[in-house]
Amino acid sequence: MSNADHDAIIIGSGHNSLVCALYLLRAGWTVRVLERTDTPGGAVKTVDLTEPGFRHDWAAMNVSNFRNSAFYADFGAALERQGVEFVTAENCFASVYDDGTWFGVGTDTDANIARIAALSERDAETWKTLTDDFPSRAATVGGLMSSPMNWSALAGLGFSALRQHGWAGTLDLARFALSSPRDWLGRTFESEKVRAALAPWGMHVDYAPDIATGAIFPYLEAFGDQAGGLSIGKGGADTIIRAMVAEIEAQGGSVECGTEVTRILHEDGKAQAVEIAGGARITAGKAIIANVAPKALARLTGGTGDTGYDTGLDTFRHAPGTVMIHLAMSDLPDWRAGPELRDYAYVTIAPTLDAMALAYQQPVAGLLPEEPMIVVGQPTAIDPSRAPDGKHTLWLQVRMVPGEIKGDAAAQIDATDWETALPPFTERVLDIVERHAPGLRGRVLGMRAVSPRDLEADNPNLVGGDQVCGSHHLSQNAVFRPVRGYSDGSTPLKGLYHTGAAVWPGASTGAGPGTLLGQMLT
């Protein structure tokens, strides 16, 4: 071994970084994680944003994929000793419609089926079949989503699918995996309301209703939640970050905040060290791992010398942005569609697939959406510890908005900078929520609206407020994420690796990129 300061230097403390660090530490490596901000966790953090005693998840709220991940199977016991805690919602997600009705999915399969049967008897029978088939289908689909993008792994998955499902079943699965949400939902359910309730889960990862390969996400969320509930962190999503940092330190690693990496130093095709603000140099004996957006990796290296790779980083496409609105509340909303909705972790306002498609396409064109898709998280309905007794928090996520504003689809907001446009756009969002929950504003004790610019300033990986660090459309996913030939996190520079949501398998609290890289390196 060389006289390097550490075996591995990890740039950025997002959850993929911390996951990777724990695999390396378990293998006996010395590891140092460097974070530019004052708080570890990247987009997974919980902060006081409004009034004292109200804890708000800054961006990510749903940590089901973390709790159900391969990483948690490996390290869950250690994290539980470090204090990680979860609360699981039995009433997972619901949608409200303009006619004052609602449909939701929870862990009670019979109740789900009864709600569907009230909309369509045929759909209720379809739901029963999909429920029965979910364990075997999810093993195949989930295996694909968590597998390295190499021929041996994919061949193994293919043979396994053939043994389990036969040729016809495997081809059906392949068709499903390539389908858009609208395509699959339209073939599967006749009720527009059922379709509209499931489709938003594609929007969470940049799959509007008509984007190919997006059907997987509504399917996995709906039937996964039904099978096991939807998990949030007790006291805040940052419970997973605090536990991982504590375990890293217990294993002899370090997570250093307020330490910004300004350059990755390399010579003769090999990454050797990082330079931090102030000019100090820290060397790595085995690996430098960068959890950064692709353009930031290009900037830090000054170019790897591989023209194709460097061009791929430079042309990497980001998804539209997000606006977050955090509310401290005297009480939960009174939903017009029914009091049962107060018990749900998420209530989405996106009444039809066409409305969702428009709410996506307008931001892609640079326009503030006239009727944005709004996800209303109600974490204190599940976890009262996040607010003072009897009080609540709401987590409003607006999917999607333009990172750079060119105009307003409603022709009401003239501003084209987010600092000026955010207040009137926030009022538009609250107006829409108030239509479905009259009296909402009268219960607001405090508010903090967060623009795409604010999200990027806090975390440069969220370019233009893109919370998934890059479009997941097929031309930039799987073997093409982030650049063809480098989906495993390797780069053209020996000893330099890339992780985070920009790397396959992409954005999720399940931390697939960090897990796969940690396993590959050890």
Side-chain angles (χ1 to χ4, degrees):
M1 178 179 162
S2 71
N3 293 321
D5 294 303
H6 296 273
D7 292 329
I9 301 296
I10 302 180
I11 304 168
S13 67
H15 64 291
N16 279 293
S17 296
L18 305 181
V19 163
C20 186
L22 284 168
Y23 277 106
L24 301 182
L25 287 163
R26 187 173 70 174
W29 291 35
T30 56
V31 179
R32 188 173 177 182
V33 181
L34 306 178
E35 168 58 46
R36 63 181 284 277
T37 70
D38 295 332
T39 306
V44 183
K45 64 180 181 181
T46 309
V47 288
D48 295 333
L49 291 171
T50 54
E51 298 292 317
F54 290 84
R55 299 270 289 160
H56 300 272
D57 286 340
W58 174 253
M61 175 180 145
N62 180 355
V63 294
S64 297
N65 288 340
F66 182 86
R67 193 178 189 180
N68 297 327
S69 67
F71 166 77
Y72 198 78
D74 286 341
F75 288 92
L79 298 187
E80 287 162 14
R81 289 193 294 271
Q82 297 294 355
V84 73
E85 292 185 271
F86 303 97
V87 182
T88 299
E90 295 182 357
N91 297 302
C92 303
F93 66 89
S95 282
V96 291
Y97 309 107
D98 291 340
D99 63 1
T101 63
W102 68 278
F103 170 75
V105 172
T107 57
D108 186 334
T109 302
D110 290 339
N112 294 337
I113 291 170
R115 281 192 290 270
I116 296 171
L119 301 170
S120 165
E121 289 288 351
R122 195 192 82 176
D123 287 353
E125 292 303 314
T126 299
W127 192 273
K128 292 177 187 177
T129 300
L130 290 171
T131 297
D132 292 341
D133 291 346
F134 180 69
S136 63
R137 289 171 64 92
T140 302
V141 175
L144 174 65
M145 298 296 292
S146 60
S147 173
M149 282 291 109
N150 59 53
W151 288 115
S152 59
L154 293 175
L157 284 170
F159 285 125
S160 175
L162 285 169
R163 284 196 304 270
Q164 189 165 9
H165 304 289
W167 276 107
T170 300
L171 287 173
D172 287 344
L173 278 171
R175 183 190 188 198
F176 163 67
L178 293 171
S179 295
S180 70
R182 189 193 298 269
D183 185 25
W184 176 66
L185 291 167
R187 290 199 310 268
T188 307
F189 300 107
E190 64 181 9
S191 168
E192 290 282 357
K193 292 181 177 179
V194 174
R195 297 173 189 172
L198 271 57
W201 292 101
M203 294 277 279
H204 278 270
V205 279
D206 191 38
Y207 286 103
D210 299 298
I211 304 296
T213 71
I216 288 173
F217 300 97
Y219 170 75
L220 289 178
E221 189 69 38
F223 291 93
D225 285 356
Q226 178 178 258
L230 186 152
S231 294
I232 64 175
K234 185 173 183 180
D238 68 343
T239 184
I240 71 174
I241 302 301
R242 289 184 279 109
M244 285 193 287
V245 169
E247 183 62 17
I248 286 169
E249 293 172 345
Q251 297 303 320
S254 66
V255 179
E256 301 173 28
C257 292
T259 306
E260 182 176 6
V261 172
T262 55
R263 282 203 300 163
I264 296 171
L265 305 174
H266 53 95
E267 188 175 342
D268 298 326
K270 184 180 188 305
Q272 300 172 324
V274 300
E275 184 177 280
I276 62 174
R281 172 185 169 122
I282 305 171
T283 58
K286 294 182 179 179
I288 296 170
I289 298 164
N291 185 349
V292 298
K295 288 182 176 66
L297 183 59
R299 184 176 65 253
L300 288 171
T301 61
T304 65
D306 183 311
T307 302
Y309 180 79
D310 292 342
T311 299
L313 295 182
D314 188 57
T315 56
F316 186 85
R317 293 180 299 105
H318 281 273
T322 311
V323 160
M324 301 295 305
I325 303 172
H326 300 283
L327 301 176
M329 303 285 292
S330 63
D331 196 2
L332 290 167
D334 276 333
W335 294 99
R336 182 166 58 98
E340 305 96 327
L341 289 165
R342 289 166 57 94
D343 297 329
Y344 277 78
Y346 289 99
V347 178
T348 299
I349 303 173
T352 67
L353 270 68
D354 288 340
M356 281 176 252
L358 194 59
Y360 182 85
Q361 195 56 47
Q362 287 172 344
V364 168
L367 302 177
L368 294 169
E370 183 174 7
E371 290 278 337
M373 184 182 108
I374 305 167
V375 184
V376 182
Q378 302 183 127
T380 45
I382 315 304
D383 174 23
S385 72
R386 294 172 177 231
D389 287 347
K391 303 297 191 295
H392 291 274
T393 64
L394 288 187
W395 176 98
L396 273 60
Q397 187 179 64
V398 183
R399 297 271 187 164
M400 305 284 192
V401 298
E404 299 289 341
I405 303 170
K406 296 180 181 178
D408 178 22
Q412 296 169 345
I413 300 172
D414 295 329
T416 55
D417 65 284
W418 269 110
E419 183 177 358
T420 309
L422 184 60
F425 185 73
T426 298
E427 290 304 310
R428 176 178 299 172
V429 172
L430 295 179
D431 284 345
I432 294 170
V433 180
E434 184 112 17
R435 290 206 308 258
H436 294 275
L440 174 87
R441 280 186 174 86
R443 300 181 179 197
V444 175
L445 304 174
M447 180 175 74
R448 168 72 185 277
V450 181
S451 76
R453 296 295 112 201
D454 298 327
L455 289 167
E456 184 175 356
D458 177 77
N459 181 351
N461 286 2
L462 309 186
V463 177
D466 167 18
Q467 289 197 20
V468 296
C469 199
S471 170
H472 287 66
H473 299 177
L474 187 56
S475 61
Q476 193 174 271
N477 207 6
V479 296
F480 305 109
R481 190 170 189 88
V483 179
R484 178 177 55 80
Y486 296 97
S487 63
D488 61 356
S490 63
T491 75
L493 293 175
K494 185 178 180 182
L496 176 63
Y497 300 90
H498 192 189
T499 193
V503 180
W504 171 259
S508 167
T509 55
T515 298
L516 292 176
L517 182 59
Q519 292 172 339
M520 183 180 79
L521 292 176
T522 58

